[in-house]
Amino acid sequence: MTEAQIILSHGRESGIVAVASGERYRWAHTALAESGFQRDDDGVWHLPADGTQTTVVDLIRCAKRHRTSVNMSSRRFIGDAARDLARLLPGQWHASVEVYSHPAWQEDLVPWIWDSGELGRAVCSERIPYAALLTHAVQGTTLLFIERPGRHLDYLVGAFSPEGLEGGYGDPHAPRGIVLPPFAGPSAQALTSRYLPAYEQAVHARRTAAIAAVLGDIRREHDTWQAMNASGRYSDATPLSAAALGASTELFLDHAWRRFLTVVDHAPALLERCRPASSPWPGDAAALSRLADAVIDVEGLVDEIVHGGFVAEQERRARAWPAIETWLTDGEAFLRQARLSAPHRRPALPVAAPARPLTAARPAHRRP
């Protein structure tokens, strides 16, 4: 790997655009600065629009003095490609550029890439000195958009883990990133018709699985606690004192509370999709109503703890347990309704298109 490298591409508005890469990327920074380039907040270098006469030949000569190689990309600036794509996606999408000059910076992406395909493999094994992020302004969905390694034209796109759901490359619930062509229109169509519906399905499945796992863990601990309480002994038959029983009860309630916060985070979005009246189990409607009320109660408790000041642990346990118990009782009804309400692949929404200029109206006939 080159210790210091400058990668040049052409930006639509700023002309020559440069990115520094390599473990000695600071050498590249020095060469760019001495050649008249200026770095923006994204870490991308541009020539100022004040008539500087710096040429690529000048940059190459300066870079050579600083032991830095210069390479010209055959692609246009990735920021332009990402912004063109974002403008054509339905909804409010924002495009930004990220630079991973040092290889270690790229490694920071690995735990957060929620992908089971080529994009995840590329992030783990290929050098990616820069990328673009596509972020939905309302939903918070964030996509990683990179140049496809080993190809001269294509791009790869995939998702970061949704907030509150630890994922990463290889997660069985992760959607598979897709290959995009170098044209914004077909790329937007592919994202809208293929990837985003698959992403929505994956998020739904991941949330459902997370809640199922949490309820299973709490239920097992609850069964253990109940057996211990009924017998008055530990699992190894050692007698259990009243003080020890009280401590074990508090420990169980504290563990259940921490786990139940996953339900509070992810159940509301799933409950909104449930339609028990049109399911084989219309009687689940009452259970879902109780579950929704329980989540609202705990949301209020969390808000008090975070914003309202001190809440004693004993009070928190007493207020949280009824909600947790409701979910242990009616959780199976929720899980079957959530699985039934999983989003299905739907027809593609029309991608946004730039406004066309109005055709000039025919001039009105004037009388002489």
Side-chain angles (χ1 to χ4, degrees):
M1 180 185 297
T2 304
E3 287 188 305
Q5 181 184 29
I6 295 172
I7 304 170
L8 301 178
S9 58
H10 185 270
R12 182 168 48 226
E13 297 178 356
S14 52
I16 297 177
V17 176
V19 170
S21 175
E23 293 183 355
R24 304 288 185 178
Y25 66 90
R26 294 186 187 279
W27 296 351
H29 283 183
T30 301
L32 287 165
E34 289 184 3
S35 300
F37 283 76
Q38 296 178 351
R39 185 171 58 171
D40 63 19
D41 293 338
D42 293 331
V44 178
W45 294 76
H46 308 266
L47 283 173
D50 59 359
T52 179
Q53 298 301 309
T54 299
T55 66
V56 173
V57 173
D58 296 329
L59 175 61
I60 292 174
R61 289 172 180 163
C62 183
K64 188 175 182 179
R65 293 197 300 271
H66 294 284
R67 293 178 288 177
T68 299
S69 65
V70 178
N71 295 298
M72 188 71 190
S73 173
S74 60
R75 301 171 183 260
R76 61 181 178 141
F77 176 46
I78 195 169
D80 292 341
R83 281 186 283 272
D84 289 347
L85 176 56
R87 280 193 289 267
L88 295 181
L89 293 175
Q92 302 174 38
W93 289 85
H94 170 71
S96 60
V97 175
E98 289 204 335
V99 174
Y100 315 116
S101 294
H102 196 286
W105 302 353
Q106 177 185 333
E107 294 172 6
D108 293 340
L109 294 174
V110 175
W112 305 105
I113 288 297
W114 197 43
D115 187 77
S116 59
E118 185 177 350
L119 175 74
R121 291 195 299 272
V123 170
C124 292
S125 60
E126 301 285 347
R127 182 69 180 103
I128 300 171
Y130 51 83
L133 301 184
L134 298 168
T135 305
H136 194 283
V138 178
Q139 298 172 352
T141 302
T142 303
L143 308 179
L144 183 69
F145 179 74
I146 67 171
E147 296 171 353
R148 191 181 187 189
R151 304 298 177 93
H152 295 295
L153 296 175
D154 295 339
Y155 295 90
L156 294 174
V157 69
F160 286 95
S161 299
E163 185 176 358
L165 292 175
E166 295 76 12
Y169 175 61
D171 181 348
H173 295 98
R176 182 179 295 272
I178 62 173
V179 177
L180 296 180
F183 308 107
S187 292
Q189 192 67 37
L191 267 177
T192 304
S193 63
R194 292 168 49 203
Y195 185 78
L196 292 178
Y199 172 83
E200 185 180 356
Q201 292 169 345
V203 171
H204 186 98
R206 183 69 179 84
R207 283 174 168 161
T208 304
I211 291 175
V214 163
L215 294 180
D217 289 344
I218 296 175
R219 187 173 287 109
R220 282 189 291 273
E221 290 195 8
H222 184 241
D223 291 344
T224 300
W225 174 82
Q226 280 188 317
M228 187 185 304
N229 190 40
S231 66
R233 296 177 179 275
Y234 289 105
S235 57
D236 62 358
T238 303
L240 187 66
S241 67
L245 179 59
S248 68
T249 299
E250 291 179 354
L251 184 63
F252 161 68
L253 291 175
D254 289 343
H255 284 178
W257 162 257
R258 286 191 291 271
R259 288 180 171 86
F260 190 71
L261 293 178
T262 296
V263 177
V264 177
D265 286 340
H266 301 295
L270 299 179
L271 284 167
E272 285 185 6
R273 294 191 59 89
C274 292
R275 299 292 184 269
S278 58
S279 77
W281 308 281
D284 286 347
L288 294 184
S289 179
R290 290 192 294 270
L291 294 172
D293 289 343
V295 169
I296 291 172
D297 290 343
V298 176
E299 286 176 334
L301 176 57
V302 171
D303 187 66
E304 285 185 41
I305 293 172
V306 174
H307 302 292
F310 177 75
V311 175
E313 290 186 354
Q314 186 173 359
E315 179 186 352
R316 187 255 299 158
R317 295 181 188 117
R319 292 173 59 183
W321 175 245
I324 298 173
E325 191 173 31
T326 298
W327 272 83
L328 291 179
T329 302
D330 294 327
E332 288 304 315
F334 164 80
L335 291 174
R336 64 173 169 250
Q337 291 291 337
R339 289 165 181 146
L340 188 66
S341 66
H344 301 290
R345 191 174 296 275
R346 58 185 183 273
L349 296 173
V351 298
R356 296 181 179 179
L358 295 176
T359 304
R362 180 178 299 177
H365 175 70
R366 292 186 179 181
R367 294 183 180 179

